[in-house]
Amino acid sequence: MIETRIVPRVRDLGDGFSVRRALPDAQRRAVGPFVFFDQMGPVKLAGGQGLDVRPHPHIGLATVTYLFEGEILHRDSLGSVQPIRPGEVNWMIAGRGIVHSERTPPQLRAAGPALSGVQTWVALPREQEECEPSFSHHGELPLVEEGGVTLRLILGDLLGLASPVPTLSPTVYADVAIQATRRFAVPAKHDERGLYVIDGRIVVATQSFGPGEMLVLTPGSEVLVEAQSAARVLLFGGAALEERHVWWNFVSSSTTRIQEAAEDWKAGRFPDVPGETERIPLPERGPRFVSYP
């Protein structure tokens, strides 16, 4: 039932803030359309500090920000200004190109903000890679509670629920809380599926897993997840990804297109984010592509 087990790498971003990066990994580059998976925190920052991800560009993907604790203010080159809080989702389709920033709101910095959540990138289907960029915020997501399991559907469709988020390919992404000793059956519907443990311990196929572990499930069969203690997991996946390349913040089926985007960012040809004066520079090292599958 388990194809791959991934233990994320920890990356220190400075100011006491670190992330666990589970995708891409040497064992597995993607799970369905998910090509990037970062767990942020949980962390309590010092007074006066906050998250400050300066404006940076994307192409060929959609970003998904989902929080368990704290608040992040999103700004982008379309003029969107939107805070996100736990249980909500920000969905940004980069398409042919977008720029955004993510920061702790000013009013939350003095006391030292807490932050916990996950950011993922979903590769767009090849025919939609160069679509018009867009942004949407969704404050209410489908929720079901049954038999000691609470499931909030972030993206796609599952167990008769449908998320309002406008995905462009078959996708599933759900936040699943399981009470101790209770079980949750992961349907076999989607081509590729992964589980990421946020809290507690789970048992899959007689093996026990804890916080910060990612499991890629074997395709084609229902998988039973049992909670040894109260647990919270993210279920994610979807249609298997066709050939794709990733470098820095860019995703495309063409390495030439990624190189063009890099030159455009370096030359200042991407649009600005209203209200922002900073930006993250292009990495000095040239492209070393991560390719899928």
Side-chain angles (χ1 to χ4, degrees):
M1 293 183 182
I2 300 172
E3 187 176 286
T4 309
R5 170 181 173 267
I6 297 170
V7 178
R9 308 178 308 282
V10 177
R11 297 193 58 182
D12 186 355
L13 303 184
D15 294 328
F17 189 78
S18 63
V19 298
R20 292 175 175 176
R21 180 155 301 164
L23 292 177
D25 183 80
Q27 299 181 83
R28 186 81 186 209
R29 301 300 191 184
V31 178
F34 289 81
V35 298
F36 181 89
F37 193 110
D38 261 9
Q39 181 183 5
M40 306 175 287
V43 65
K44 170 74 171 174
L45 297 175
Q49 293 185 344
L51 177 71
D52 282 301
V53 181
R54 295 168 292 160
H56 57 282
H58 290 289
I59 66 166
L61 58 83
T63 63
V64 191
T65 304
Y66 185 76
L67 298 182
F68 306 120
E69 185 178 14
E71 182 175 330
I72 295 175
L73 183 63
H74 163 98
R75 295 179 183 270
D76 65 40
S77 51
L78 300 176
S80 311
V81 180
Q82 177 63 57
I84 180 172
R85 302 177 182 93
E88 305 174 347
V89 65
N90 277 358
W91 171 254
M92 185 183 76
I93 297 178
R96 61 179 175 78
I98 198 168
V99 181
H100 75 136
S101 66
E102 295 168 295
R103 300 183 186 270
T104 299
Q107 68 273 17
L108 299 182
R109 291 175 181 256
L115 185 63
S116 176
V118 171
Q119 184 164 77
T120 57
W121 296 352
V122 175
L124 300 180
R126 186 171 297 181
E127 64 274 13
Q128 298 283 355
E129 285 184 315
E130 296 294 321
C131 67
E132 289 296 313
S134 63
F135 174 83
S136 61
H137 172 79
H138 303 271
E140 293 188 11
L141 299 171
L143 182 72
V144 63
E145 299 181 41
E146 185 176 345
V149 176
T150 301
L151 183 148
R152 177 177 278 110
L153 186 61
I154 304 167
L155 303 179
D157 61 284
L158 185 70
L159 303 176
L161 301 177
S163 168
V165 180
T167 52
L168 301 178
S169 64
T171 308
V172 63
Y173 190 19
D175 178 2
V176 186
I178 312 171
Q179 294 178 12
T181 74
R182 298 303 180 96
R183 296 178 176 182
F184 171 67
V186 179
K189 174 181 178 180
H190 296 276
D191 292 346
E192 297 184 352
R193 300 158 298 163
L195 290 172
Y196 187 85
V197 184
I198 298 295
D199 294 309
R201 294 199 69 85
I202 63 171
V203 174
V204 178
T206 74
Q207 299 180 65
S208 177
F209 303 94
E213 294 189 89
M214 177 178 286
L215 313 178
V216 182
L217 305 179
T218 302
S221 62
E222 182 179 273
V223 176
L224 199 62
V225 180
E226 181 178 352
Q228 285 185 298
S229 61
R232 188 176 197 174
V233 300
L234 295 178
L235 164 65
F236 62 100
L241 192 63
E242 299 174 329
E243 183 181 17
R244 207 66 93 249
H245 308 283
V246 179
W247 179 72
W248 195 38
N249 301 314
F250 306 132
V251 176
S252 179
S253 57
S254 165
T255 57
T256 300
R257 176 68 181 95
I258 290 176
Q259 290 169 329
E260 289 174 351
E263 288 301 318
D264 286 343
W265 181 247
K266 186 176 182 180
R269 290 190 286 267
F270 272 82
D272 294 326
V273 177
E276 292 275 14
T277 58
E278 300 179 289
R279 67 179 221 156
I280 297 177
L282 190 75
E284 293 184 3
R285 291 184 67 178
R288 294 184 62 188
F289 298 105
V290 175
S291 298
Y292 308 78

